[in-house]
């Protein structure tokens, strides 16, 4: 098979790395890819959001299957466009990807189908939002409705902070149109767990549970990022909790989307909070998480292309999905200053040595004119190790990070430990 993966981050490197192991995948392409992905796939210089160019290329080059990984091309309808061109594509259509693209939509869906989540109200009027905040008091959570690179959520400790967040979103348009509608919701408390699940429109198979670390600095301090590391499985996610979630959250979500005429094929990301009153949905995403995918796919023992095809064909119930025993951990190595501002173009050393100790997934890297691999983004590498226990996986991953360096490299030293 000729397979194209759309995207170019650490998640896409993990997906390509896994697909490259399949005897069925004869040719693997990735658009736009990165310097690490280029070691397992042929990179194609097309932007992940360029739907027309992507479909044209896939058609002209006779792709048998396309996997669309990032949220924005999904929301733009890349899967719909590929299907229209007769190319089987993994990922939700735009009408199902909306569970991530609109928080107002997903909150309404959960309310309608009794899926446990935080109490909320949706606003398009600034004054109404401000008076709701004053009425509810703090702590309270303010969310921009649309896609905001994971940065459109403010957990406000005070009323003043919540008011400021709403003003920035609705008045100052900090997130553009994504903030014209805001969701204001109850602040939940408890450990957070992520469960990704394969879906074929009707059936769902949860992957191993995982946790990521969103804050930039140790001790969960500093600004929110895309994720500074992740591990799986989560010790907080017991078999009892898993059973509850499948029955009351996961399957009801798949059933709800089907009932609404928006069958979901692809990966649903369930962001969960384990509150004292039981698990609640914090957010849905319509895709694999980054960096959760790096440790999760490191634990997968089944051919990934078989799972992807079953999701597209509606035969997921026929696939036996197997996982390794033990645990996996991914440490993100970032550019100094991320997520605020950082310098790119510094040569990275120690990659080969690290690669002997763990799997080094590339996120923001490229080759410079001298052929050296340099940092080219905020999150640069995801060093991922599998171990007998979580402690073992963490230790192996940190040991493998040691040889790697470039100017101003930054990482957290407490991934998996807090
Ligand atoms: P989201 O982009 O919706 O995942 O939100 C980002 C982060 O904000 C989550 O991972 C939580 O840590 C936090 N968060 C979001 N909603 C709530 C809530 N209702 N209560 C407490 N924390 C929240
Ligand atoms: N790691 C969080 C996300 O992928 O949304």
């Amino acid at each position: 098979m000729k397979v194209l993966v759309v995207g170019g981050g650490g998640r896409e490197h993990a997906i390509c790395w896994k697909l490259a192991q399949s005897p069925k995948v004869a040719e693997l392409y990735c658009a736009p890819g990165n310097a690490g992905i280029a070691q397992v796939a042929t990179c194609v210089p097309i932007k992940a959001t360029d739907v027309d160019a992507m479909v044209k290329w896939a058609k002209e080059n006779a792709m048998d299957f396309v996997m669309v990984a990032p949220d924005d091309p999904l929301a733009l309808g890349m899967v719909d466009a590929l299907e229209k061109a007769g190319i089987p594509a993994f990922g939700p259509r735009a009408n199902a990807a909306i569970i991530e693209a609109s928080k107002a939509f997903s909150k309404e869906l959960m309310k309608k189908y009794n899926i446990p989540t935080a109490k909320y109200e949706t606003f398009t009027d600034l004054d109404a939002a401000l008076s709701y905040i004053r009425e509810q008091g703090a702590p309270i959570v303010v969310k921009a409705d649309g896609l905001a690179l994971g940065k459109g959520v403010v957990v406000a400790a005070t009323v003043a902070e919540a008011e400021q967040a709403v003003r920035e979103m609705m008045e100052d348009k900090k997130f553009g149109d994504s903030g014209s509608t805001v969701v204001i919701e109850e602040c939940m408390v408890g450990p957070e767990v992520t469960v990704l699940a394969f879906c074929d429109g009707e059936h769902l198979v949860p992957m191993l549970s995982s946790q990521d670390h969103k804050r930039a600095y140790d001790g969960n301090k500093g600004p929110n990022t895309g994720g500074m590391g992740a591990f799986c499985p989560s010790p907080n996610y017991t078999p009892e909790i898993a059973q509850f979630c499948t029955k009351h959250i996961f399957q009801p979500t798949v059933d709800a989307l089907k009932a609404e005429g928006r069958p979901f094929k692809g990966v649903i990301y369930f962001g969960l909070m384990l509150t004292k009153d039981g698990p609640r949905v914090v957010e849905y995403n319509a895709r694999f998480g980054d960096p959760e995918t790096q440790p999760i796919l490191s634990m997968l023992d089944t051919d990934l292309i078989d799972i992807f095809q079953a999701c597209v064909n509606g035969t997921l119930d026929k696939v036996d999905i197997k996982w390794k025993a033990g645990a996996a951990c991914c440490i993100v190595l970032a550019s100094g200053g991320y997520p605020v501002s950082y310098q790119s173009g510094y040569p990275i050393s120690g990659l080969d040595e690290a690669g002997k100790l763990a799997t080094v997934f590339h996120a923001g890297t490229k080759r410079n004119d001298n052929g050296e691999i340099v940092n080219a983004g905020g999150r640069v590498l995801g060093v991922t190790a599998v171990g007998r226990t979580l402690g073992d996986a963490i230790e192996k991953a940190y040991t493998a990070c040691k040889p790697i360096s470039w100017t101003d490299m930054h990482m957290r030293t407490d991934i998996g430990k807090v």
Side-chain angles (χ1 to χ4, degrees):
M1 280 174 83
K2 290 166 101 173
V3 178
L4 167 67
V5 174
V6 175
R11 165 184 56 202
E12 289 78 9
H13 190 183
I15 291 166
C16 287
W17 169 84
K18 191 69 195 166
L19 288 175
Q21 295 167 21
S22 170
K24 292 175 190 150
V25 178
E27 291 179 35
L28 184 61
Y29 299 86
C30 185
N34 63 38
I37 292 173
Q39 294 162 5
V40 290
T42 304
C43 294
V44 183
I46 300 173
K47 261 175 55 184
T49 47
D50 193 340
V51 176
D52 292 342
M54 200 70 75
V55 175
K56 186 164 173 272
W57 187 90
K59 223 169 144 175
E60 282 173 2
N61 292 277
M63 288 300 116
D64 298 301
F65 196 87
V66 179
M67 190 284 168
V68 183
D71 52 1
D72 29 11
L74 291 168
L76 289 168
M78 189 177 280
V79 168
D80 310 55
L82 287 161
E83 281 177 352
K84 215 174 268 166
I87 303 168
F90 178 90
R93 294 179 188 153
N95 73 352
I98 193 173
I99 61 164
E100 172 167 8
S102 169
K103 292 195 193 288
F105 173 88
S106 62
K107 293 297 288 189
E108 220 164 285
L109 186 84
M110 286 185 264
K111 192 190 256 180
K112 182 169 171 190
Y113 291 90
N114 284 318
I115 297 166
T117 188
K119 258 195 358 207
Y120 76 101
E121 290 292 335
T122 301
F123 297 92
T124 48
D125 178 70
L126 176 67
D127 289 329
L130 290 172
S131 46
Y132 181 75
I133 288 169
R134 287 175 203 134
E135 190 185 297
Q136 295 292 312
I140 193 156
V141 180
V142 178
K143 299 185 175 187
D145 174 52
L147 298 177
L149 292 170
K151 292 172 189 119
V153 174
V154 176
V155 181
T158 63
V159 168
E161 207 183 315
E163 287 181 352
Q164 190 196 339
V166 167
R167 283 188 193 285
E168 282 177 3
M169 287 177 197
M170 300 183 89
E171 214 166 45
D172 308 342
K173 299 267 169 225
K174 190 172 175 185
F175 303 110
D177 282 344
S178 286
S180 313
T181 300
V182 297
V183 169
I184 301 180
E185 64 178 39
E186 169 198 0
C187 188
M188 302 184 287
V189 183
E192 283 186 66
V193 173
T194 296
V195 178
L196 309 183
F198 294 110
C199 307
D200 70 358
E202 197 165 334
H203 313 99
L204 157 146
V205 179
M207 302 180 215
L208 293 182
S209 63
S210 60
Q211 283 180 235
D212 74 343
H213 296 71
K214 290 207 170 80
R215 300 300 191 107
Y217 311 128
D218 282 9
N220 293 330
K221 302 230 163 58
N224 254 322
T225 70
M228 293 299 295
F231 61 90
C232 74
S234 163
N236 293 321
Y237 193 70
T238 62
E240 293 73 36
I241 294 176
Q243 209 176 11
F244 177 94
C245 289
T246 296
K247 185 162 172 216
H248 297 286
I249 297 177
F250 304 160
Q251 194 61 50
T253 300
V254 174
D255 295 346
L257 286 163
K258 188 175 171 219
E260 295 289 314
R262 300 168 184 270
F264 194 104
K265 296 184 174 195
V267 170
I268 303 188
Y269 174 120
F270 295 92
L272 305 169
M273 196 168 278
L274 309 179
T275 76
K276 65 175 178 21
D277 302 318
R280 302 256 185 282
V281 176
V282 177
E283 63 162 341
Y284 291 131
N285 291 325
R287 52 171 175 82
F288 277 103
D290 191 344
E292 293 91 334
T293 302
Q294 289 83 316
I296 291 173
L297 291 187
S298 298
M299 297 289 285
L300 180 64
D301 260 343
T302 306
D303 191 331
L304 188 56
I305 197 72
D306 287 344
I307 305 176
F308 283 170
Q309 286 187 297
C311 289
V312 172
N313 298 335
T315 53
L316 192 56
D317 56 328
K318 309 277 190 311
V319 186
D320 185 18
I321 299 180
K322 292 209 168 73
W323 302 97
K324 292 185 202 312
C329 178
C330 168
I331 316 292
V332 169
L333 305 183
S335 298
Y338 170 75
V340 183
S341 68
Y342 52 84
Q343 295 277 320
S344 301
Y346 297 121
I348 303 171
S349 60
L351 287 169
D352 289 343
E353 206 179 321
K356 291 177 193 145
L357 304 169
T359 310
V360 182
F361 294 119
H362 290 222
T365 64
K366 66 173 192 192
R367 274 191 199 273
N368 66 13
D369 294 340
N370 302 327
E372 297 164 307
I373 293 181
V374 300
N375 71 319
R379 292 188 291 175
V380 179
L381 301 168
V383 178
T384 307
V386 172
R388 276 177 299 106
T389 61
L390 177 56
D392 192 25
I394 295 168
E395 199 187 310
K396 277 187 172 160
Y398 273 114
T399 303
C401 289
K402 281 196 185 128
I404 302 177
S405 74
W406 72 86
T407 307
D408 295 339
M409 179 187 106
H410 165 68
M411 68 173 164
R412 279 182 60 163
T413 64
D414 61 353
I415 299 303
K417 296 169 196 159
V418 286

